[in-house]
Amino acid sequence: DTEVTQTPKHLVMGMTNKKSLKCEQHMGHRAMYWYKQKAKKPPELMFVYSYEKLSINESVPSRFSPECPNSSLLNLHLHALQPEDSALYLCASCPDGNSGNTIYFGEGSWLTVV
Amino acid sequence: AQSVAQPEDQVNVAEGNPLTVKCTYSVSGNPYLFWYVQYPNRGLQFLLKYITGDNLVKGSYGFEAEFNKSQTSFHLKKPSALVSDSALYFCAVRDYGDKLIFGTGTRLQVFP
């Protein structure tokens, strides 16, 4: 089983709202990721958690706040977003940081900021 | 820095014909190369990877890829295309520090 589950599948939020995206995996993977993907473009890395600690932040604006409550869960807290933040947000996981390991992606959360 | 390039924005092929989606890479050290597919309004699905060993790698849904060190290429192939193979295909390379670097993507269109 290589399943990464993301909720919600679709989210519409206003620019003053606070919302969260959630990601869960039960494969025992110790690395988890958030990617952002705009239409017809490749995914762009936002954050990496390794063994529940933030290891990479790709200079993401502070209106995006990641959280890793435990080894199975990854959240992305959203606050005061802009319309240009509308995109597909992909969560992914990997057994660990070994470069040969496969990174598995969820189905994504479609975010629309109005 | 590691990078991959996908020179074709779109590839068109008739159903039943062989297909090739091209990818070239630029890495320092050993390359760890991946192919992913994205169907419309879906997440990315892993197809196959090259880590070491045989240059011909077999993956999901009948796809395979050939690692060519002299040409620094990792082209995705399938002997007989299906209409259901129509999707967006990404080549990627694993970078240091746990990053996966994607190419720009190639849209495969298989016509009946």
Side-chain angles (χ1 to χ4, degrees), chain A residues 26-49:
Chain A
H26 295 289
M27 297 176 280
H29 289 178
R30 303 313 300 270
M32 296 186 75
Y33 310 77
W34 282 114
Y35 279 82
K36 174 183 177 180
Q37 186 182 23
K38 301 287 271 186
K40 301 182 181 181
K41 298 292 186 182
E44 298 175 350
L45 182 64
M46 300 175 71
F47 303 103
V48 180
Y49 273 82

CSV table of all heavy atoms in Angstrom, one decimal, chain A residues 26-49:
chain,number,residue,atom,x,y,z
A,26,HIS,N,0.2,6.0,6.4
A,26,HIS,CA,0.4,4.9,7.3
A,26,HIS,C,1.4,3.9,6.8
A,26,HIS,O,1.2,2.7,7.1
A,26,HIS,CB,-0.9,4.3,7.7
A,26,HIS,CG,-1.8,5.2,8.4
A,26,HIS,ND1,-1.6,5.6,9.7
A,26,HIS,CD2,-3.0,5.8,8.0
A,26,HIS,CE1,-2.6,6.5,10.0
A,26,HIS,NE2,-3.4,6.6,9.0
A,27,MET,N,2.4,4.3,6.1
A,27,MET,CA,3.4,3.4,5.5
A,27,MET,C,4.7,3.4,6.3
A,27,MET,O,5.7,2.8,6.0
A,27,MET,CB,3.7,3.9,4.1
A,27,MET,CG,2.5,3.8,3.2
A,27,MET,SD,2.8,4.4,1.5
A,27,MET,CE,2.7,6.2,1.8
A,28,GLY,N,4.7,4.2,7.5
A,28,GLY,CA,5.9,4.2,8.3
A,28,GLY,C,6.9,5.1,7.7
A,28,GLY,O,8.1,5.1,8.1
A,29,HIS,N,6.6,6.0,6.7
A,29,HIS,CA,7.5,6.8,6.1
A,29,HIS,C,8.0,7.9,7.1
A,29,HIS,O,7.1,8.5,7.8
A,29,HIS,CB,7.0,7.5,4.8
A,29,HIS,CG,6.8,6.5,3.7
A,29,HIS,ND1,6.2,6.8,2.5
A,29,HIS,CD2,7.1,5.2,3.6
A,29,HIS,CE1,6.2,5.8,1.7
A,29,HIS,NE2,6.8,4.7,2.4
A,30,ARG,N,9.2,8.3,7.0
A,30,ARG,CA,9.8,9.3,8.0
A,30,ARG,C,10.1,10.6,7.3
A,30,ARG,O,10.5,11.5,8.0
A,30,ARG,CB,11.0,8.7,8.6
A,30,ARG,CG,10.8,7.4,9.4
A,30,ARG,CD,9.5,7.4,10.2
A,30,ARG,NE,9.5,8.4,11.3
A,30,ARG,CZ,10.0,8.2,12.5
A,30,ARG,NH1,10.5,7.0,12.8
A,30,ARG,NH2,10.0,9.2,13.4
A,31,ALA,N,9.8,10.8,6.0
A,31,ALA,CA,10.0,12.0,5.3
A,31,ALA,C,8.7,12.4,4.7
A,31,ALA,O,8.0,11.6,4.1
A,31,ALA,CB,11.1,12.0,4.3
A,32,MET,N,8.2,13.6,4.9
A,32,MET,CA,7.0,14.1,4.3
A,32,MET,C,7.2,15.5,3.7
A,32,MET,O,8.0,16.3,4.2
A,32,MET,CB,5.9,14.1,5.4
A,32,MET,CG,5.5,12.7,5.9
A,32,MET,SD,4.1,12.6,7.0
A,32,MET,CE,2.7,12.8,5.8
A,33,TYR,N,6.4,15.8,2.7
A,33,TYR,CA,6.6,16.9,1.8
A,33,TYR,C,5.3,17.7,1.5
A,33,TYR,O,4.3,17.0,1.4
A,33,TYR,CB,7.2,16.5,0.5
A,33,TYR,CG,8.4,15.6,0.6
A,33,TYR,CD1,8.3,14.2,0.8
A,33,TYR,CD2,9.7,16.1,0.3
A,33,TYR,CE1,9.3,13.4,0.9
A,33,TYR,CE2,10.8,15.2,0.3
A,33,TYR,CZ,10.6,13.9,0.6
A,33,TYR,OH,11.7,13.0,0.7
A,34,TRP,N,5.5,19.0,1.3
A,34,TRP,CA,4.4,19.8,0.7
A,34,TRP,C,5.0,20.3,-0.6
A,34,TRP,O,6.1,20.9,-0.6
A,34,TRP,CB,3.9,20.9,1.6
A,34,TRP,CG,3.0,20.5,2.6
A,34,TRP,CD1,3.2,20.6,4.0
A,34,TRP,CD2,1.6,20.0,2.5
A,34,TRP,NE1,2.0,20.1,4.7
A,34,TRP,CE2,1.1,19.8,3.8
A,34,TRP,CE3,0.8,19.8,1.4
A,34,TRP,CZ2,-0.2,19.3,4.0
A,34,TRP,CZ3,-0.5,19.3,1.6
A,34,TRP,CH2,-1.0,19.1,2.8
A,35,TYR,N,4.2,20.2,-1.7
A,35,TYR,CA,4.5,20.7,-3.0
A,35,TYR,C,3.3,21.6,-3.4
A,35,TYR,O,2.2,21.3,-3.1
A,35,TYR,CB,4.7,19.7,-4.0
A,35,TYR,CG,6.1,19.0,-4.1
A,35,TYR,CD1,6.4,18.0,-3.2
A,35,TYR,CD2,7.0,19.4,-5.0
A,35,TYR,CE1,7.6,17.4,-3.2
A,35,TYR,CE2,8.3,18.8,-5.0
A,35,TYR,CZ,8.6,17.8,-4.1
A,35,TYR,OH,9.8,17.2,-4.2
A,36,LYS,N,3.6,22.6,-4.2
A,36,LYS,CA,2.6,23.5,-4.8
A,36,LYS,C,2.7,23.3,-6.3
A,36,LYS,O,3.8,23.3,-6.9
A,36,LYS,CB,2.8,24.9,-4.4
A,36,LYS,CG,1.9,25.9,-5.1
A,36,LYS,CD,2.3,27.4,-4.7
A,36,LYS,CE,1.4,28.4,-5.4
A,36,LYS,NZ,1.8,29.8,-5.0
A,37,GLN,N,1.5,23.2,-7.0
A,37,GLN,CA,1.5,23.0,-8.4
A,37,GLN,C,0.5,23.9,-9.1
A,37,GLN,O,-0.7,23.8,-8.8
A,37,GLN,CB,1.3,21.5,-8.8
A,37,GLN,CG,1.4,21.3,-10.3
A,37,GLN,CD,1.1,19.9,-10.7
A,37,GLN,OE1,0.4,19.1,-10.0
A,37,GLN,NE2,1.7,19.4,-11.8
A,38,LYS,N,0.9,24.7,-9.9
A,38,LYS,CA,0.1,25.6,-10.7
A,38,LYS,C,-0.3,24.8,-12.0
A,38,LYS,O,0.4,23.9,-12.4
A,38,LYS,CB,0.7,26.9,-11.1
A,38,LYS,CG,1.1,27.7,-9.9
A,38,LYS,CD,-0.1,28.3,-9.2
A,38,LYS,CE,-0.4,29.7,-9.7
A,38,LYS,NZ,-1.5,30.4,-9.0
A,39,ALA,N,-1.3,25.2,-12.7
A,39,ALA,CA,-1.8,24.5,-13.8
A,39,ALA,C,-0.8,24.3,-14.9
A,39,ALA,O,-0.1,25.3,-15.3
A,39,ALA,CB,-3.0,25.2,-14.4
A,40,LYS,N,-0.6,23.1,-15.3
A,40,LYS,CA,0.3,22.7,-16.5
A,40,LYS,C,1.7,23.0,-16.1
A,40,LYS,O,2.6,23.1,-17.1
A,40,LYS,CB,-0.1,23.4,-17.8
A,40,LYS,CG,-1.6,23.1,-18.2
A,40,LYS,CD,-1.9,23.7,-19.5
A,40,LYS,CE,-3.3,23.4,-19.9
A,40,LYS,NZ,-3.8,24.0,-21.2
A,41,LYS,N,2.1,23.1,-14.9
A,41,LYS,CA,3.5,23.4,-14.5
A,41,LYS,C,3.9,22.2,-13.6
A,41,LYS,O,3.1,21.5,-13.0
A,41,LYS,CB,3.6,24.7,-13.7
A,41,LYS,CG,3.2,25.9,-14.5
A,41,LYS,CD,4.2,26.2,-15.6
A,41,LYS,CE,3.9,27.5,-16.2
A,41,LYS,NZ,4.8,27.8,-17.4
A,42,PRO,N,5.3,22.1,-13.4
A,42,PRO,CA,5.7,21.0,-12.5
A,42,PRO,C,5.5,21.4,-11.1
A,42,PRO,O,5.4,22.6,-10.7
A,42,PRO,CB,7.2,20.9,-12.8
A,42,PRO,CG,7.6,22.2,-13.4
A,42,PRO,CD,6.4,22.7,-14.1
A,43,PRO,N,5.4,20.4,-10.2
A,43,PRO,CA,5.3,20.8,-8.8
A,43,PRO,C,6.5,21.5,-8.2
A,43,PRO,O,7.7,21.2,-8.7
A,43,PRO,CB,5.2,19.4,-8.1
A,43,PRO,CG,4.7,18.5,-9.2
A,43,PRO,CD,5.4,19.0,-10.4
A,44,GLU,N,6.3,22.4,-7.3
A,44,GLU,CA,7.4,23.1,-6.7
A,44,GLU,C,7.5,22.8,-5.2
A,44,GLU,O,6.4,22.9,-4.5
A,44,GLU,CB,7.2,24.6,-6.8
A,44,GLU,CG,7.2,25.1,-8.3
A,44,GLU,CD,6.8,26.6,-8.4
A,44,GLU,OE1,6.4,27.2,-7.4
A,44,GLU,OE2,6.9,27.1,-9.5
A,45,LEU,N,8.6,22.4,-4.7
A,45,LEU,CA,8.8,22.1,-3.3
A,45,LEU,C,8.6,23.3,-2.4
A,45,LEU,O,9.1,24.4,-2.7
A,45,LEU,CB,10.2,21.5,-3.1
A,45,LEU,CG,10.5,21.0,-1.7
A,45,LEU,CD1,9.6,19.8,-1.3
A,45,LEU,CD2,12.0,20.6,-1.6
A,46,MET,N,7.8,23.0,-1.3
A,46,MET,CA,7.6,24.1,-0.3
A,46,MET,C,8.3,23.7,1.0
A,46,MET,O,9.2,24.5,1.4
A,46,MET,CB,6.1,24.2,0.0
A,46,MET,CG,5.3,24.6,-1.2
A,46,MET,SD,3.5,24.6,-0.8
A,46,MET,CE,3.4,26.1,0.3
A,47,PHE,N,8.0,22.6,1.5
A,47,PHE,CA,8.6,22.1,2.8
A,47,PHE,C,8.9,20.7,2.8
A,47,PHE,O,8.2,19.9,2.1
A,47,PHE,CB,7.6,22.4,4.0
A,47,PHE,CG,7.1,23.8,4.1
A,47,PHE,CD1,5.8,24.1,3.6
A,47,PHE,CD2,7.8,24.8,4.7
A,47,PHE,CE1,5.3,25.4,3.8
A,47,PHE,CE2,7.4,26.1,4.8
A,47,PHE,CZ,6.1,26.4,4.4
A,48,VAL,N,9.9,20.3,3.6
A,48,VAL,CA,10.2,18.9,3.9
A,48,VAL,C,10.4,18.7,5.4
A,48,VAL,O,11.0,19.5,6.0
A,48,VAL,CB,11.6,18.5,3.2
A,48,VAL,CG1,11.9,17.0,3.5
A,48,VAL,CG2,11.5,18.7,1.7
A,49,TYR,N,9.7,17.7,5.9
A,49,TYR,CA,9.9,17.2,7.2
A,49,TYR,C,10.6,15.9,7.2
A,49,TYR,O,10.2,15.0,6.5
A,49,TYR,CB,8.5,17.1,7.9
A,49,TYR,CG,8.0,18.3,8.6
A,49,TYR,CD1,7.4,19.3,7.8
A,49,TYR,CD2,8.3,18.6,9.9
A,49,TYR,CE1,6.9,20.5,8.4
A,49,TYR,CE2,7.8,19.7,10.5
A,49,TYR,CZ,7.1,20.7,9.8
A,49,TYR,OH,6.7,21.8,10.3
